[in-house]
Amino acid sequence: MEVYFDNSATTRCYDSVKDIVVKTMTEDFGNPSAMHLKGVDAEKYVKEATKTIAGILKVQEKEILFTSGGTESDNLALIGGAMANKRNGNHIIITSVEHAAVSQPALYLQEQGFEITYLPVDVQGRVKMETLEAVLRPDTIMVSTMLVNNEVGAVMPVEEIAKLVHEKSPKALYHVDAIQGFGKYRIYPKKMGIDLLAVSGHKIHGPKGIGFLYINEKVKIIPQILGGGQQSGMRSGTDNVPGIAGLGVASGQIYKNLDENVEHMYQLKEHIAEGLSQIEDIRINGMPLREGAPQILSISVMGVRSEVLLHSLEDKGIYISAGSACSSHKRKPSATLSAMGMSKDQIESTVRLSFCEENTIEEADYFLETMKTLVPMLRRYSRK
């Protein structure tokens, strides 16, 4: 049996997504900027995807900007937003558990003269609201937090954060990295007070290399890719019609059965957590199971290095992650787990399981049976 529990790294494309991607690459392959019929036909796919996504978020279609994925969306939000609003101040706040797609642009902005404040988190991985309130200033121009942490599944109180940010620092933009949250939660940026929202397609059974950034119509942002002036000059370059069409289909499909999908993932998560509790010295990290994100389960198998467990499970046809797959093949100590106060031994023993609606209880049972025999053996081996 093959078991893929690494859906936070990437997901299998829906069949419906594959079909529309192939169709727009081989039949309706025109350039949407062209004025002839082939171009008009291609543009229809872009408009349909925009309509679908705007409807899900309950925003205007003109507020959706397509990008190459979550990393570009985050970069554009932080760098473009900071540069456009630097006359209002130079103070930016991010959390200490952000993905590199946010933390690296923040470092770049620091080099450009912006001041960056890093918010601590509690042992569950959530922002400490009292600290946020204390560090917000009149010259704060941006606050950036994830919705769902990609390593432990901690869910940030984004509505509460937005309210506090806009009350204490009215000139500040609130950016949310929703790359692990879109398709798992209903997100309404205008109602929730979110100014900028980043999403990636391949986390929701869409294609790789496509994403979008929601930009509130009142937000000033400086484009980072210049050229032919596509997408109202906000991001030049020929529209990735197959990617955009696939993203639109994936978004529509994942939200069609959202409640059932989420409940299924929570049940898988609880079933596996219960089974793992029968194995000695395995710790569940992050928030209580039903309070954290439905698709992510972080565990520490004490006495077994994460890489050893990962490759041993791979030999059995089970695929999990030893951390975020989005950075590189080189493992570094996890900033998220360190910020949560974990010991070095626990960090080195931590792996992530991440689910989707296509995973089954049978797969979960196979994983648990494998762990029951594998973990004691690996612990004995590590002691030699």
Side-chain angles (χ1 to χ4, degrees):
M1 176 182 283
E2 182 174 287
V3 177
Y4 183 77
F5 283 163
D6 199 16
N7 290 280
S8 286
T10 198
T11 52
R12 185 190 78 85
C13 272
Y14 288 136
D15 290 342
S16 56
V17 170
K18 175 198 69 176
D19 292 342
I20 200 167
V21 168
V22 171
K23 190 171 190 293
T24 49
M25 292 181 78
T26 60
E27 296 178 32
D28 299 328
F29 54 83
N31 186 324
S33 296
M35 297 180 68
H36 51 63
L37 188 57
K38 276 288 185 184
V40 173
D41 287 343
E43 188 181 20
K44 288 177 182 176
Y45 289 96
V46 176
K47 289 182 175 179
E48 184 62 29
T50 306
K51 181 180 179 181
T52 297
I53 292 165
I56 289 168
L57 297 177
K58 298 191 185 307
V59 301
Q60 298 179 72
E61 293 177 23
K62 67 180 181 180
E63 295 175 309
I64 302 299
L65 181 79
F66 292 108
T67 67
S68 64
T71 295
E72 185 190 337
S73 293
D74 283 333
N75 273 254
L76 177 58
L78 266 78
I79 298 172
M83 294 300 185
N85 293 278
K86 60 184 178 181
R87 289 186 179 180
N88 293 329
N90 76 331
H91 183 228
I92 296 169
I93 300 170
I94 71 171
T95 79
S96 55
V97 296
E98 291 304 310
H99 189 279
V102 167
S103 63
Q104 289 300 310
L107 284 175
Y108 168 79
L109 288 169
Q110 189 171 31
E111 292 170 355
Q112 307 308 306
F114 291 87
E115 180 185 352
I116 312 297
T117 295
Y118 295 87
L119 288 175
V121 295
D122 60 23
V123 294
Q124 295 182 350
R126 280 169 55 100
V127 164
K128 296 181 177 180
M129 293 299 296
E130 64 275 13
T131 307
L132 173 59
E133 185 171 11
V135 300
L136 282 167
R137 307 184 329 212
D139 65 335
T140 302
I141 58 169
M142 182 170 294
V143 176
S144 178
T145 75
M146 345 175 97
L147 172 55
V148 172
N149 180 267
N150 56 298
E151 292 188 50
V152 299
V155 182
M156 300 297 180
V158 294
E159 285 190 78
E160 190 179 347
I161 292 170
K163 186 172 185 292
L164 184 60
V165 168
H166 293 312
E167 283 179 356
K168 288 211 66 179
S169 301
K171 293 180 181 179
L173 303 177
Y174 181 37
H175 163 252
V176 172
D177 177 337
I179 290 162
Q180 297 290 348
F182 187 79
K184 311 299 184 298
Y185 293 90
R186 287 188 170 82
I187 306 169
Y188 304 121
K190 292 186 184 296
K191 179 182 177 183
M192 298 167 77
I194 299 168
D195 300 303
L196 299 157
L197 185 90
V199 172
S200 178
H202 73 106
K203 309 295 188 181
I204 59 163
H205 306 279
K208 296 176 181 65
I210 189 67
F212 70 82
L213 179 67
Y214 157 75
I215 307 172
N216 185 290
E217 64 174 335
K218 297 178 182 178
V219 168
K220 291 189 299 181
I221 195 164
I222 293 178
Q224 301 298 297
I225 299 177
L226 307 176
Q230 288 87 349
Q231 297 199 75
S232 302
M234 283 303 302
R235 183 188 186 269
S236 292
T238 301
D239 292 338
N240 174 8
V241 178
I244 292 169
L247 175 57
V249 169
S251 299
Q253 186 166 334
I254 205 164
Y255 273 94
K256 184 178 180 181
N257 301 303
L258 181 68
D259 293 338
E260 296 88 341
N261 293 344
V262 166
E263 179 58 28
H264 175 66
M265 286 184 282
Y266 271 129
Q267 289 180 11
L268 278 174
K269 185 178 178 181
E270 290 172 330
H271 183 73
I272 289 175
E274 172 61 27
L276 290 174
S277 70
Q278 299 171 27
I279 304 174
E280 184 181 0
D281 213 3
I282 290 185
R283 304 176 189 177
I284 305 294
N285 304 315
M287 302 174 70
L289 297 180
R290 284 271 172 170
E291 294 179 26
Q295 80 275 25
I296 296 175
L297 181 64
S298 172
I299 64 172
S300 298
V301 184
M302 303 306 295
V304 180
R305 291 182 65 87
S306 56
E307 292 91 343
V308 173
L309 179 59
L310 183 152
H311 292 301
S312 298
L313 287 169
E314 183 183 12
D315 290 340
K316 304 291 186 181
I318 300 170
Y319 299 93
I320 63 169
S321 172
S324 172
C326 301
S327 51
S328 71
H329 291 297
K330 297 178 181 178
R331 289 295 312 282
K332 298 176 182 178
S334 164
T336 294
L337 303 182
S338 298
M340 291 168 62
M342 289 189 188
S343 67
K344 182 173 180 287
D345 288 344
Q346 187 172 357
I347 291 173
E348 291 178 347
S349 301
T350 298
V351 295
R352 179 191 69 185
L353 314 179
S354 48
F355 317 113
C356 73
E357 70 270 24
E358 295 179 345
N359 290 128
T360 66
I361 291 292
E362 290 74 24
E363 291 174 339
D365 286 337
Y366 175 64
F367 167 76
L368 290 170
E369 289 303 314
T370 303
M371 287 286 284
K372 287 174 184 176
T373 57
L374 193 59
V375 170
M377 181 185 71
L378 293 176
R379 283 178 174 152
R380 286 195 300 270
Y381 178 79
S382 66
R383 294 189 188 108
K384 291 182 180 180

